[in-house]
Amino acid sequence: MPENTVTVPLAPMQPDDVADAFAYLRALQAGDMNTACAVADDTGPELHRLLLDVAARVFIPITAMDDHDGEPCAHSFLAAALGRLLLELLCHSVCLASARGIADAITRFTENILTEDRGDVADVLRQLEAAGMKQAMEAHLVRFTVV
């Protein structure tokens, strides 16, 4: 099997990168375009890569399904939900190659798959940010204690 992001663990993000990406996501999710634009301006073209890193960390663990000899498993609904999400994004003409499109995909994925109640999206984004920041800080500290 070729190695890909499902079979190879993702390298931790830098703490500042986690903070920037989630500041942009939270601002968009809250409808605060002034803050989103300010974060995008401050981060520059790097925002695109940061949001792709976050998307990988949000989508991959959730959509990786167990193989049960080709039979549907308890998590099989995720494939259908992901398909509906991608269709929804296409129907709304979301450009998945732009920072705004990636952020929209992460927010919609969180809303449609990771939450029971659509009002919980901001809470889930905060939890995802905290997990990403924890991983980034642990990796950052290890790097400096080993050197």
Side-chain angles (χ1 to χ4, degrees), residues 106-126:
I106 294 168
T107 301
R108 288 175 189 244
F109 184 88
T110 302
E111 181 178 76
N112 292 318
I113 296 177
L114 299 181
T115 62
E116 294 289 325
D117 177 11
R118 292 183 188 263
D120 294 338
V121 173
D123 289 337
V124 172
L125 287 174
R126 279 190 290 278

Side-chain angles (χ1 to χ4, degrees), residues 36-47:
C37 289
V39 171
D41 287 345
D42 289 345
T43 307
E46 187 70 4
L47 182 61

Side-chain angles (χ1 to χ4, degrees), residues 65-81:
M65 296 187 340
D66 297 328
D67 183 10
H68 293 282
D69 299 323
E71 295 296 318
C73 64
H75 302 288
S76 295
F77 75 93
L78 290 173

Side-chain angles (χ1 to χ4, degrees), residues 9-18 57 130-147:
L10 297 166
M13 294 175 69
Q14 292 294 319
D16 288 345
D17 293 347
V18 173
R57 285 162 176 74
M133 187 61 77
K134 179 181 178 203
Q135 182 187 38
M137 292 301 291
E138 288 171 353
H140 186 71
L141 290 174
V142 168
R143 231 175 283 148
F144 285 107
T145 53
V146 171
V147 174

